[in-house]
Amino acid sequence: MSSTPSQPPPGPGVLLDPNMTHLNDYSRASSRASSEASLQRVKNLPGYTTPVFKGKEEQRAKVQADVALKGFIPRELIANEVDWFYSQLGIDDTYFQNESPSVISDHILALFGAKVLAYTKHDSNKLVIDLEKIDEKGNGATFIHTSQPGLTSADGPGATCESRIDSLYLDNSTPSKCYRLETFRSTGSISATASQQLRCYFITKCNFPSPPPPSTRTDERTDIRAVSDTAFLERASPYTLEIYQKIMWQVESRYGPVMEVFEVEGTRERRLVIGYKMGGTSRFFSALSHLYHFYQLYSARKYVEQFSNGITIISLYLNPLPDSTAAPIEHSIFQVMKEASLLCCLPDNPFFLDSGKSGHAVQEATYAYCGWVFAQHFCNRLGPAYLHLRNILDESNPSHAEVMNDIKRRFREETFTRESIAQVIHANPEIIRLLYVNFAMAHYPAADEASQLGPTLSYQRLQTTQPLSDSELYDKIRRTVLNKQDLQVLESFLIFNKHVLKTNFYQPTKVALSFRLAPEFLPEVEYPNKPFGMFIIIGNEFRGFHIRFRDVARGGIRIVMSRNKENYSINQRMLFDENYGLAATQSLKNKDIPEGGAKGTILPSLGAPPRRCFEKYVDAVIDLLIPGQSPGIKERLVDLYGKPELLFFGPDEGTADMMDWAALHARDRGAETWWKSFTTGKSAKHLGGIPHDTYGMTSLSIRQYVLGIYKQLGLREKDITKVQTGGPDGDLGSNEILLSSDKTVAIIDGSGVLADPAGINREELIRLAKSRLTVGNFNKTKLSKDGYLVKVEEQDVKLPSGEIILDGTDFRNGAHLRFKADLFVPCGGRPEAVNISNVAGLTDTEGKPHFKYIVEGANLFFTQQARLHLEKRKVVLFKDSSANKGGVTSSSLEVLVGLALSTQEYTDLMIFKDDKPSDFYQKYVKDIQAKISENAAAEFHCIWREHARLQGAKPRTQISDELSMKLNDLQAELELSDLYDDVPSRRGVMNRAIPKPLVDQVGLDTLLERLPETYQRALFSSWVASHFIYKYGVNGSSVDFFHFARDLAR
């Protein structure tokens, strides 16, 4: 039965703008549907059995005696005050049953004292009651305070009571420690002259029986009685149990909140029931009160129930105020339900909490919040002065580049702060409202013909506000706001509106807000390479971005953790720039695979659980990838982009163990064709992933560069001394040890520094690498007399040379600048560990470099300026985007097999049986390893040849970047060319680009039917571009390409 109301179409007073075509369609569709819609109705019976306290009269006598004994109230008034409290206030018997006579007598005295105080002020509205009792052992609490129906208190106990309950008892609920809440309003006033009522809150710690009672169900679905608190089971009516049972099943099968509305027969009361997973939101209970007060509703009763299977259910009994001037509850209750979904995403929204001044509804306030976040990142903070300075300075000069970076950072810290942007938003509520209407005109969804939705209040508000064109709105902003910086903030909202292509803002249920943006607004001075697409994701406890540089693109999702408030502020300011830089670097690395570069970043608030932030981020992004099909849950969005999109996520810092969940969640959300390829880095046994570390994928490409150097220079590996960062416990570090046979003289990892000028004992290193143990576990008896191990936790360590190491951590942090060897292979360490400020530490006093050869295995270990500095000193250096691309090649082919196989084939061929891989899986992995080695060797020789052709005039670092850009540019050109349309050439390329085991298993024709055309174009163009350039070099001519293309069909 539908929980959505029928509503009449807008009356004659509502403005209908002829330009608002899809909104007018919405009105007509709603009008047709209105007669067919029906409500869920419940009988006018309590949802809970009201307890009858049999000892109430006996208790009353004790209380009256106790009040007399305390002596504060005149004796002749005592009986009247006690009778008023027990009989006229209308307090539920729950209170009298829970409290002792002594506590009740104190409450009566407090109420009388408040009356006296209000009398002395000659104002009955000053009558304030604030009573609370918090159990010291954590078993619960009671709060009682005066409350005006339908109003959110701005001061006094009512202003903070519910937010305190949220933070103390509800926000951090877990099945092992959670609290149920009952709250009700007294039916009578607190005195004959005051209209206020008492609001009572009873909070009790949940008691789940252990072991739980056996389930009565035979269908394997959760039995609510088996997961309920004993007090809830005693009080809930059979019909409430039935409703909550259905809500619980829906919550279990869905990631977001579940909301249902029930009409109480014969009354105007509506009951709103909301279910969600524990921890799914915070400060939600108090925010809901603010929401229904906005629509002049008040609650007679409210319940929060917790269940041992991790589900929370809130029930609100809502009624209209007697003299309400708001929309009828028959309409407004569904707006409350709609906006409760937004509140669940952002319950602590400062622009809604301020709605008493601004008049913002939740939708407008949520829009203001999203615009606030956008403005923090994208108000142009550099401007013409920075551009002029950039034109004067030489960015290739390391000292100039450092000055530019410092100035850029200072501009961003000082020009627009979060606080200054928020002040502008608070000061201009009318402009924000007009900007919201401008946004809604583009993204408010038209109704489906079969929809049972009537025109919501938000829709009606849109129709009564005359929308302005972009130019009219800009003129109004310019005339209204005189301050130039304020104007820039509000302009950023207009820029936001113009570049949102689709959003889940109006989805009925969601866990975070997501926006797909066209990136054209990014200033070229700051972001010279324009991304293909970008997403911004905003949740209650996080914000995040996703940037990709081509339509088909892949990259890791990184969680950026903050140590403290200051660090969080820095991360917040730099989040987009970090994301942009990582995605741009990934583009260079992804040069010879179908997927372009992409990256996602998530910044959790301080104390927020990272995994919860990741899950919300993923779910919100999926909202924009899968067309909604479920009315009232996931509906179709307004899609101004108009094309299907696929994103491919991979593991990165903080998310390595979350890839399985993301893939399975995509499957649960209905991504039948692409859930298998949605994430890479999945577990091999359970989801058919291809782990880089197990098969040494990244190390294989690094080794090709090391071996290439040996071969070109005629070196014997066993004669080469080597320093390595990243120890035997890591992917790259362990595989570098296992694949090499050099004389390693130092290894630096998270546990400390291991060094031996005679060469570290290789047998012991192999033992650590196979066991994935840090150098801290090295057997020191295997060291020579000059060898040593210094752990990070050690202090005052004496080295064989006699040098004293005061602090092990400080020693470890700078050890990569200390050692000398033939070869340096960074396999771990922080980004920019070697930068323009410390690169001089890698040369001796005579300017001679510590290392002859460097193969940068770890991402971004060197800054670009540091690489160029070393190359000027004749170091043979191969940068990260060339050397460590084996991992991205492996991930790319993991994506391919996920797209190519049906779900059944994938299950049979890629997922382990009895912990063993299939023959197909093993053949496929070997083919990947061969392709990695082939690609790495081809790029190495291309760079080496070009460097030799130029006689060393251009550094290898620069050749590598130019090679990447040339490959990416050629690939982009080929994607748009008609070469792909030549069927024999296309088939010839695909037959070679797709691993042979996959072609043999599925067949080329079937593969070409299954793979999305955008992916096929990307695969075709990447193979052609990389093989052409690796063969002919970056200066290959048109004639060369003609000869190359002629052979594609073979």
Side-chain angles (χ1 to χ4, degrees):
M1 189 173 291
S2 170
S3 64
T4 314
S6 60
Q7 297 184 28
V14 174
L15 292 172
L16 287 177
D17 190 299
N19 296 319
M20 295 155 63
T21 310
H22 75 269
L23 292 184
N24 292 333
D25 291 341
Y26 182 62
S27 178
R28 287 192 288 272
S30 300
S31 180
R32 283 192 294 274
S34 61
S35 60
E36 303 166 11
S38 58
L39 286 168
Q40 293 192 90
R41 291 185 175 87
V42 293
K43 293 181 179 179
N44 188 10
L45 296 171
Y48 289 72
T49 56
T50 305
V52 176
F53 181 33
K54 295 178 181 178
K56 191 172 181 180
E57 289 307 314
E58 181 184 346
Q59 184 193 64
R60 184 205 294 246
K62 291 180 180 178
V63 166
Q64 187 163 324
D66 199 37
V67 169
L69 190 64
K70 291 175 179 174
F72 178 68
I73 300 176
R75 189 166 294 276
E76 63 274 16
L77 301 179
I78 289 174
N80 190 48
E81 289 298 323
V82 173
D83 180 65
W84 180 278
F85 193 83
Y86 267 81
S87 305
Q88 305 300 317
L89 264 181
I91 298 178
D92 193 282
D93 271 16
T94 302
Y95 167 77
F96 297 105
Q97 193 164 346
N98 287 352
E99 303 296 353
S100 67
S102 176
V103 169
I104 295 172
S105 65
D106 283 345
H107 289 173
I108 292 172
L109 292 174
L111 179 58
F112 182 79
K115 291 179 187 177
V116 173
L117 181 62
Y119 179 79
T120 63
K121 294 182 177 180
H122 306 290
D123 185 355
S124 59
N125 290 323
K126 299 293 184 184
L127 207 169
V128 176
I129 303 294
D130 181 15
L131 308 172
E132 68 175 60
K133 184 185 75 173
I134 296 177
D135 184 77
E136 293 178 358
K137 296 179 180 178
N139 291 317
T142 300
F143 298 91
I144 301 174
H145 64 78
T146 39
S147 171
Q148 196 80 17
L151 294 177
T152 299
S153 303
D155 48 35
T160 60
C161 182
E162 291 194 349
S163 59
R164 286 179 65 207
I165 289 172
D166 268 333
S167 61
L168 290 172
Y169 300 104
L170 302 180
D171 285 351
N172 299 310
S173 296
T174 62
S176 59
K177 186 180 181 182
C178 52
Y179 295 84
R180 68 180 298 267
L181 165 68
E182 298 182 47
T183 172
F184 53 82
R185 179 179 298 283
S186 65
T187 54
S189 301
I190 54 177
S191 77
T193 58
S195 61
Q196 295 103 310
Q197 296 170 316
L198 285 183
R199 182 102 222 173
C200 305
Y201 301 85
F202 300 104
I203 299 146
T204 53
K205 191 172 184 179
C206 290
N207 175 26
F208 301 119
S210 181
S215 173
T216 59
R217 304 198 63 83
T218 58
D219 55 5
E220 297 186 359
R221 301 175 87 179
T222 302
D223 182 353
I224 192 170
R225 290 172 176 81
V227 295
S228 293
D229 168 73
T230 51
F232 165 73
L233 284 178
E234 289 170 2
R235 301 206 52 192
S237 69
Y239 194 65
T240 293
L241 281 172
E242 183 183 340
I243 290 172
Y244 283 17
Q245 177 73 86
K246 291 176 181 176
I247 295 282
M248 179 177 288
W249 287 338
Q250 291 182 64
V251 174
E252 287 179 325
S253 64
R254 199 186 302 172
Y255 190 67
V258 174
M259 303 187 189
E260 297 284 356
V261 171
F262 300 87
E263 175 189 7
V264 179
E265 288 182 351
T267 74
R268 298 190 71 196
E269 182 174 280
R270 298 292 184 270
R271 293 178 185 174
L272 176 60
V273 183
I274 303 170
Y276 57 92
K277 292 183 173 72
M278 284 181 188
T281 186
S282 59
R283 299 179 289 281
F284 188 43
F285 178 70
S286 53
L288 284 170
S289 298
H290 200 61
L291 170 60
Y292 61 71
H293 289 163
F294 184 86
Y295 291 101
Q296 296 185 28
L297 305 177
Y298 73 93
S299 62
R301 291 174 173 271
K302 296 189 281 191
Y303 298 90
V304 179
E305 302 295 353
Q306 314 274 15
F307 300 91
S308 63
N309 61 340
I311 286 173
T312 299
I313 295 179
I314 298 176
S315 184
L316 311 177
Y317 291 38
L318 300 175
N319 292 273
L321 286 173
D323 301 318
S324 172
T325 57
I329 190 172
E330 290 78 6
H331 292 190
S332 63
I333 188 63
F334 294 95
Q335 190 63 21
V336 169
M337 183 170 75
K338 198 179 194 67
E339 297 190 349
S341 172
L342 281 173
L343 267 191
C344 194
C345 296
L346 294 174
D348 198 26
N349 183 346
F351 307 109
F352 181 58
L353 300 177
D354 180 52
S355 63
K357 299 175 184 176
S358 67
H360 289 322
V362 170
Q363 288 179 341
E364 292 155 6
T366 304
Y367 167 78
Y369 187 98
C370 295
W372 180 45
V373 172
F374 180 85
Q376 290 169 41
H377 291 281
F378 300 114
C379 272
N380 183 4
R381 304 167 196 192
L382 302 182
Y386 175 83
L387 182 59
H388 180 66
L389 187 61
R390 184 184 174 206
N391 291 336
I392 294 172
L393 296 177
D394 176 13
E395 283 193 279
S396 65
N397 182 316
S399 57
H400 288 197
E402 193 170 10
V403 170
M404 293 292 288
N405 285 335
D406 286 345
I407 292 171
K408 184 188 289 189
R409 186 171 60 250
R410 194 168 300 170
F411 263 128
R412 288 177 171 168
E413 287 175 2
E414 297 174 3
T415 311
F416 294 94
T417 65
R418 296 173 73 243
E419 293 73 21
S420 66
I421 295 170
Q423 287 171 5
V424 175
I425 296 170
H426 283 300
N428 294 279
E430 187 55 37
I431 294 292
I432 295 297
R433 190 169 292 110
L434 289 171
L435 284 162
Y436 167 70
V437 170
N438 179 269
F439 167 82
M441 288 300 100
H443 298 287
Y444 202 94
D448 189 287
E449 286 292 321
S451 173
Q452 300 298 298
L453 276 172
T456 62
L457 289 181
S458 54
Y459 161 77
Q460 293 178 31
R461 279 199 299 270
L462 293 179
Q463 301 249 355
T464 55
T465 301
Q466 183 66 41
L468 303 179
S469 68
D470 290 350
S471 58
E472 289 171 337
L473 185 51
Y474 177 76
D475 286 342
K476 185 171 181 65
I477 294 171
R478 188 171 47 80
R479 290 194 304 270
T480 305
V481 182
L482 302 178
N483 180 295
K484 188 175 179 181
Q485 284 198 351
D486 290 6
L487 175 64
Q488 210 167 324
V489 169
L490 296 172
E491 279 178 346
S492 72
F493 277 71
L494 200 51
I495 291 169
F496 175 70
N497 289 0
K498 286 172 68 68
H499 292 87
V500 174
L501 297 177
K502 52 185 171 179
T503 174
N504 70 348
F505 190 95
Y506 294 107
Q507 277 287 23
T509 63
K510 51 197 163 290
V511 294
L513 293 153
S514 53
F515 302 86
R516 164 62 160 95
L517 297 169
E520 280 70 25
F521 65 90
L522 293 174
E524 190 175 347
V525 62
E526 296 184 65
Y527 309 104
N529 298 321
K530 197 71 70 184
F532 178 88
M534 56 184 286
F535 292 76
I536 181 170
I537 302 94
I538 301 170
N540 186 41
E541 58 277 272
F542 76 96
R543 66 180 64 179
F545 291 99
H546 187 274
I547 298 170
R548 74 191 199 274
F549 279 88
R550 295 230 316 275
D551 188 3
V552 177
R554 194 200 68 84
I557 309 299
R558 172 174 296 191
I559 293 179
V560 181
M561 297 301 293
S562 307
R563 294 186 302 275
N564 49 45
K565 192 173 181 180
E566 181 183 0
N567 185 228
Y568 176 77
S569 295
I570 294 169
N571 288 338
Q572 201 174 49
R573 283 196 300 272
M574 300 306 296
L575 186 67
F576 180 79
D577 283 359
E578 179 177 350
N579 200 145
Y580 177 88
L582 290 167
T585 301
Q586 193 74 29
S587 288
L588 299 178
K589 193 186 295 186
N590 287 20
K591 51 183 156 280
D592 49 16
I593 61 173
E595 302 90 0
K599 211 73 172 181
T601 51
I602 302 170
L603 176 66
S605 303
L606 288 174
R611 187 178 183 96
R612 184 187 304 161
C613 298
F614 174 82
E615 291 180 0
K616 289 186 176 184
Y617 173 100
V618 169
D619 190 72
V621 169
I622 291 176
D623 280 346
L624 303 186
L625 302 181
I626 299 179
Q629 305 286 357
S630 308
I633 302 172
K634 298 291 183 186
E635 298 175 352
R636 283 200 170 269
L637 308 173
V638 175
D639 185 357
L640 302 181
Y641 182 61
K643 302 174 196 171
E645 289 190 279
L646 276 181
L647 300 184
F648 302 118
F649 291 171
D652 205 303
E653 291 180 14
T655 62
D657 62 342
M658 303 178 192
M659 295 297 110
D660 283 12
W661 180 90
L664 293 172
H665 186 62
R667 185 184 65 181
D668 293 343
R669 287 287 309 269
E672 179 58 33
T673 58
W674 52 263
W675 70 269
K676 308 176 294 300
S677 56
F678 182 51
T679 61
T680 57
K682 303 181 291 293
S683 65
K685 290 183 180 179
H686 304 297
L687 284 179
I690 301 170
H692 299 175
D693 53 354
T694 303
Y695 300 107
M697 299 302 194
T698 307
S699 299
L700 283 172
S701 61
I702 295 169
R703 286 303 295 168
Q704 287 302 314
Y705 281 82
V706 173
L707 295 174
I709 292 170
Y710 295 163
K711 185 175 180 180
Q712 291 296 329
L713 300 178
L715 304 172
R716 292 197 312 169
E717 182 166 9
K718 65 180 183 179
D719 298 332
I720 297 294
T721 56
K722 182 179 75 178
V723 171
Q724 174 182 324
T725 61
D729 60 320
D731 168 13
L732 300 190
S734 63
N735 282 302
E736 176 61 23
I737 290 168
L738 295 172
L739 293 171
S740 63
S741 59
D742 51 52
K743 181 181 172 184
T744 302
V745 295
I747 296 181
I748 305 157
D749 71 7
S751 69
V753 179
L754 174 67
D756 194 333
I760 302 170
N761 183 283
R762 183 149 292 273
E763 288 182 2
E764 179 65 2
L765 280 181
I766 290 171
R767 180 187 73 81
L768 295 180
K770 287 184 174 179
S771 303
R772 286 298 180 90
L773 297 172
T774 63
V775 296
N777 294 279
F778 190 89
N779 181 352
K780 289 195 281 188
T781 64
K782 305 283 187 179
L783 290 169
S784 73
K785 63 181 178 60
D786 296 319
Y788 58 84
L789 169 64
V790 179
K791 298 180 183 180
V792 289
E793 66 270 18
E794 293 179 328
Q795 294 179 329
D796 299 323
V797 179
K798 187 176 182 179
L799 302 185
S801 64
E803 180 184 355
I804 302 295
I805 303 302
L806 299 178
D807 182 86
T809 300
D810 290 344
F811 181 66
R812 188 277 313 272
N813 291 345
H816 59 289
L817 304 173
R818 176 186 183 93
F819 297 105
K820 296 179 182 180
D822 297 319
L823 173 66
F824 179 33
V825 183
C827 294
R830 291 300 301 158
E832 302 186 2
V834 180
N835 52 63
I836 200 62
S837 302
N838 66 6
V839 69
L842 286 180
T843 55
D844 61 21
T845 53
E846 297 176 359
K848 184 180 179 181
H850 288 182
F851 308 109
K852 298 174 185 176
Y853 325 111
I854 296 175
V855 177
E856 188 179 6
N859 279 326
L860 303 175
F861 191 85
F862 293 88
T863 64
Q864 189 77 340
Q865 296 100 324
R867 294 184 191 112
L868 296 173
H869 177 91
L870 290 167
E871 287 211 63
K872 279 182 182 178
R873 282 150 184 80
K874 306 303 180 185
V875 175
V876 176
L877 186 149
F878 288 95
K879 67 176 295 188
D880 54 356
S881 58
S882 289
N884 72 5
K885 65 179 183 176
V888 303
T889 304
S890 175
S891 294
S892 175
L893 293 169
E894 187 178 336
V895 166
L896 172 57
V897 75
L899 288 172
L901 297 179
S902 68
T903 296
Q904 188 59 53
E905 289 169 342
Y906 190 86
T907 302
D908 293 340
L909 299 174
M910 293 299 293
I911 296 177
F912 287 22
K913 304 293 185 296
D914 300 322
D915 288 342
K916 293 180 181 178
S918 67
D919 288 342
F920 171 84
Y921 183 98
Q922 294 178 75
K923 289 176 185 175
Y924 195 73
V925 166
K926 286 181 180 176
D927 201 291
I928 292 173
Q929 291 171 324
K931 283 187 181 295
I932 288 171
S933 297
E934 176 191 325
N935 284 350
E939 185 178 354
F940 171 86
H941 289 297
C942 187
I943 294 171
W944 194 275
R945 283 198 314 268
E946 183 67 8
H947 187 266
R949 186 183 71 82
L950 297 171
Q951 297 180 332
K954 186 180 288 185
R956 292 179 180 84
T957 293
Q958 192 175 337
I959 294 172
S960 173
D961 289 343
E962 290 177 2
L963 178 65
S964 296
M965 289 185 280
K966 181 80 173 176
L967 271 166
N968 287 332
D969 291 345
L970 180 56
Q971 186 174 348
E973 288 178 34
L974 288 169
E975 279 192 44
L976 300 174
S977 76
D978 57 4
L979 184 60
Y980 172 83
D981 299 325
D982 181 67
V983 175
S985 294
R986 185 199 316 164
R987 292 180 65 86
V989 169
M990 292 299 186
N991 202 40
R992 282 173 279 181
I994 299 172
K996 188 175 184 298
L998 191 53
V999 176
D1000 291 345
Q1001 180 70 38
V1002 179
L1004 185 62
D1005 291 333
T1006 304
L1007 287 169
L1008 297 182
E1009 288 173 9
R1010 290 179 179 177
L1011 294 173
E1013 185 183 347
T1014 52
Y1015 182 86
Q1016 287 190 51
R1017 281 186 176 274
L1019 179 58
F1020 174 86
S1021 58
S1022 66
W1023 190 95
V1024 172
S1026 61
H1027 281 72
F1028 170 71
I1029 287 179
Y1030 289 157
K1031 183 175 182 179
Y1032 292 98
V1034 293
N1035 296 306
S1037 67
S1038 300
V1039 175
D1040 293 331
F1041 190 79
F1042 171 78
H1043 289 297
F1044 178 80
R1046 193 173 54 183
D1047 296 333
L1048 292 179
R1050 292 181 183 174

